[in-house]
Amino acid sequence: MKERETFASRLGFVLISAGCAIGLGNVWRFPYIVGQYGGAAFVLIYLLFLLIMGVPIMAMEFAVGRASRKSITMSFQALEPKGAKWHWYGWFGMAGNYLLMMFYTTIAGWLLLYFLKIAAGQFEGLDQDGVAKAYGDMVANPGIQLIFLVIVVVLGMVICSRGLRNGVERVNKVLMLCLLTLLVVLAIRSVTLPGAEEGLKFYLVPNFQNLMYSADGTFRLWEAVYAAMGQAFFTLSLGIGAMAIFGSYIGKDRRLFGESINVGVLDTCVAFVSGLIIFPSAFAFGISPDQGPNLIFVTLPNIFNAMPGGRLWGALFFVFLFFAALSTVTAVFENILACWMDRWGIARSKAVLANLVLIFLLSLPFLLSNNLWVNVRIMGMSIMNFEDFLVTSNLLPIGSVIYLLFCCVSPKYGWGFDNFLAEADQGQGVRFPARFRVYFTYILPLIVLVIFIMGYWDKFKGFFLALLGGA
């Protein structure tokens, strides 16, 4: 049997794990959700979820991967007691990786195209309506999106085809170091703009009224809390085996809770600094921060147009954002390839070729959702929103709870807390907080369940009330 690949260094493990976590969730999704839910108060709720559930569950994913030395389709099977069915979730987790890539690859293509457009000066002289039209023309054109989708998928697979050390680890080290450097430069430029103080106040000074009520006075606390929980899972890529696969590639010399803290801190710093780039800039140029997904693709180009040297800063921002997206794409691609290699024993080269075609085909519905299939609705949502809903609001929280329960229930039914703890605490570093076992076993799953149910109710209450005859 071929020996399993391992990381060349601890730094490589931390950076590639952070690279998987750091991506559109930090720099695209995080700022627009913070803007929608009122700023600093939402950030506090989000940070609380990272602390009380994100980092501990990440340690559990790492432990399952390291103990089993397998990907998500095989790891539960290697550790569960005879007759248990935890391994059934492996297929849903693998589906989550594909679903994530179905929209991630297309948006990564948009970022690369925007970098080229801004670098070429195509947005110069355009007002808000002009940039909005350019964005609308882009998403309405399946041909140009197809070209950049192919570039992203091929680039990601070429990197992964070179293996863990020579491909994924080596490239992600470079991407992450470039990304962190660009972040600092752009943040310094943003916070020193005239008028940036109001943006910093919105982002750093909590206003719980903004969190609890929307602009039209609608009460939305549960919606905001549900969004914060979903963002915590999304930004760390928890619940679909994306962290477990990197756990399977590391040695036993470091305790896993400490490594989870390192990855969580790096991920949080990138998200936080991304807000320092966007919100001071938006307020400095009189732009509302609650623009939703269009904040990046419509609002920011206007900010760069009004900023001295904006063409340079805009090009740097979008190349940085593309690096963030590509780091996640290569990390999730590696998880998918490992699933194929573990499950069916095929060579990496064959897994790359098969998934290059498969991910390209699976990404087409999202690509077409803004043009040829713009009128297609699933549960009242566009294809784009439905795919995001499946991943962020379903597979990530459900998968995270499955990892949580698998590690905490009795070894008669799952892996067991003692077995998990023995694995997590091997090596040097920070020990897992075992004294909170009751919290992890009983309270945390209940918290996730309650927020999950309330979030579903808030999103679909009109449908439920109609079904019950209440509307």
Side-chain angles (χ1 to χ4, degrees):
M1 184 177 179
K2 185 179 178 181
E3 186 176 346
R4 193 166 189 82
E5 291 183 274
T6 58
F7 288 108
S9 66
R10 181 188 174 203
L11 177 64
F13 161 68
V14 171
L15 287 180
I16 195 174
S17 299
C20 185
I22 294 167
L24 299 181
N26 301 73
V27 194
W28 175 56
R29 203 173 188 277
F30 177 75
Y32 85 67
I33 287 188
V34 170
Q36 284 182 329
Y37 292 103
F42 178 86
V43 174
L44 289 178
I45 304 297
Y46 161 75
L47 291 175
L48 177 65
F49 278 126
L50 284 181
L51 179 66
I52 68 172
M53 64 175 63
V55 171
I57 292 174
M58 186 189 298
M60 293 176 187
E61 265 206 55
F62 281 149
V64 170
R66 191 169 74 173
S68 66
R69 295 293 180 188
K70 300 290 183 184
S71 61
I72 190 170
T73 53
M74 300 289 287
S75 55
F76 290 109
Q77 203 163 356
L79 301 176
E80 68 188 4
K82 187 176 181 180
K85 304 300 181 184
W86 295 93
H87 62 276
W88 286 2
Y89 177 72
W91 296 105
F92 291 95
M94 190 174 180
N97 286 275
Y98 281 111
L99 275 167
L100 186 62
M101 291 298 98
M102 284 165 67
F103 60 86
Y104 223 100
T105 48
T106 300
I107 297 173
W110 293 355
L111 297 171
L112 181 57
L113 179 57
Y114 254 57
F115 159 66
L116 296 175
K117 283 179 174 290
I118 289 182
Q122 292 186 18
F123 289 128
E124 288 185 351
L126 298 181
D127 59 10
Q128 179 89 359
D129 292 337
V131 176
K133 183 180 184 303
Y135 171 68
D137 290 343
M138 180 189 74
V139 299
N141 184 344
I144 190 67
Q145 292 183 78
L146 195 62
I147 293 171
F148 282 87
L149 169 64
V150 170
I151 291 172
V152 169
V153 175
V154 170
L155 182 59
M157 284 299 175
V158 167
I159 292 169
C160 290
S161 70
R162 297 182 59 82
L164 179 69
R165 289 191 179 189
N166 295 326
V168 181
E169 182 177 356
R170 181 174 293 177
V171 172
N172 269 273
K173 279 183 179 179
V174 175
L175 288 176
M176 290 300 298
L177 293 174
C178 290
L179 186 154
L180 295 173
T181 303
L182 287 171
L183 259 181
V184 173
V185 171
L186 287 165
I188 292 171
R189 179 67 187 113
S190 179
V191 300
T192 55
L193 288 169
E197 295 84 1
E198 283 302 310
L200 289 171
K201 182 179 178 181
F202 173 83
Y203 188 45
L204 301 178
V205 180
N207 183 329
F208 288 94
Q209 187 78 7
N210 290 344
L211 176 74
M212 296 172 63
Y213 296 94
S214 62
D216 62 3
T218 303
F219 183 76
R220 61 171 185 185
L221 179 61
W222 278 110
E223 179 186 336
V225 172
Y226 185 51
M229 182 185 75
Q231 178 63 21
F233 288 133
F234 187 93
T235 194
L236 295 177
S237 300
L238 297 177
I240 55 174
M243 291 295 127
I245 190 60
F246 301 127
S248 77
Y249 291 143
I250 60 174
K252 309 269 188 179
D253 56 324
R254 301 296 303 183
R255 291 178 178 138
L256 295 176
F257 190 64
E259 301 301 85
S260 300
I261 292 172
N262 292 334
V263 174
V265 167
L266 189 53
D267 175 82
T268 303
C269 285
V270 170
F272 178 76
V273 177
S274 299
L276 289 180
I277 295 170
I278 290 171
F279 293 114
S281 300
F283 277 84
F285 293 101
I287 303 293
S288 174
D290 60 350
Q291 299 295 306
N294 287 346
L295 183 66
I296 296 295
F297 293 106
V298 176
T299 304
L300 279 182
N302 282 282
I303 293 173
F304 294 129
N305 279 342
M307 185 186 295
R311 184 169 168 182
L312 171 64
W313 298 113
L316 285 175
F317 178 83
F318 278 98
V319 77
F320 137 68
L321 193 47
F322 175 70
F323 284 173
L326 185 62
S327 68
T328 301
V329 166
T330 55
V332 176
F333 278 7
E334 177 62 24
N335 192 22
I336 291 171
L337 296 175
C339 287
W340 280 60
M341 292 185 289
D342 287 348
R343 186 73 195 181
W344 294 295
I346 65 174
R348 178 178 286 268
S349 58
K350 291 181 179 178
V352 165
L353 289 173
N355 280 283
L356 191 153
V357 175
L358 185 58
I359 291 172
F360 168 72
L361 293 175
L362 289 173
S363 299
L364 291 179
F366 179 90
L367 186 150
L368 298 173
S369 67
N370 290 299
N371 38 76
L372 299 180
W373 292 357
V374 69
N375 293 319
V376 175
R377 288 290 180 270
I378 306 171
M379 297 174 64
M381 292 176 273
S382 67
I383 295 174
M384 171 183 173
N385 290 335
F386 181 68
E387 288 180 1
D388 180 57
F389 168 71
L390 283 179
V391 175
T392 307
S393 301
N394 291 276
L395 286 172
L396 297 183
I398 291 171
S400 296
V401 170
I402 286 174
Y403 273 105
L404 178 64
L405 294 176
F406 182 67
C407 292
C408 291
V409 299
S410 165
K412 292 181 180 179
Y413 307 107
W415 191 23
F417 192 79
D418 291 336
N419 290 327
F420 153 70
L421 196 63
E423 179 64 43
D425 281 350
Q426 288 194 51
Q428 301 296 314
V430 181
R431 290 184 178 275
F432 191 86
R435 61 184 178 277
F436 297 115
R437 179 174 181 171
V438 171
Y439 164 74
F440 294 123
T441 306
Y442 301 105
I443 300 173
L444 184 52
L446 186 62
I447 291 172
V448 178
L449 179 63
V450 169
I451 297 172
F452 185 78
I453 291 172
M454 292 302 297
Y456 249 78
W457 169 257
D458 198 77
K459 190 173 187 68
F460 297 110
K461 59 186 174 185
F463 170 78
F464 291 139
L465 289 172
L467 197 65
L468 296 169

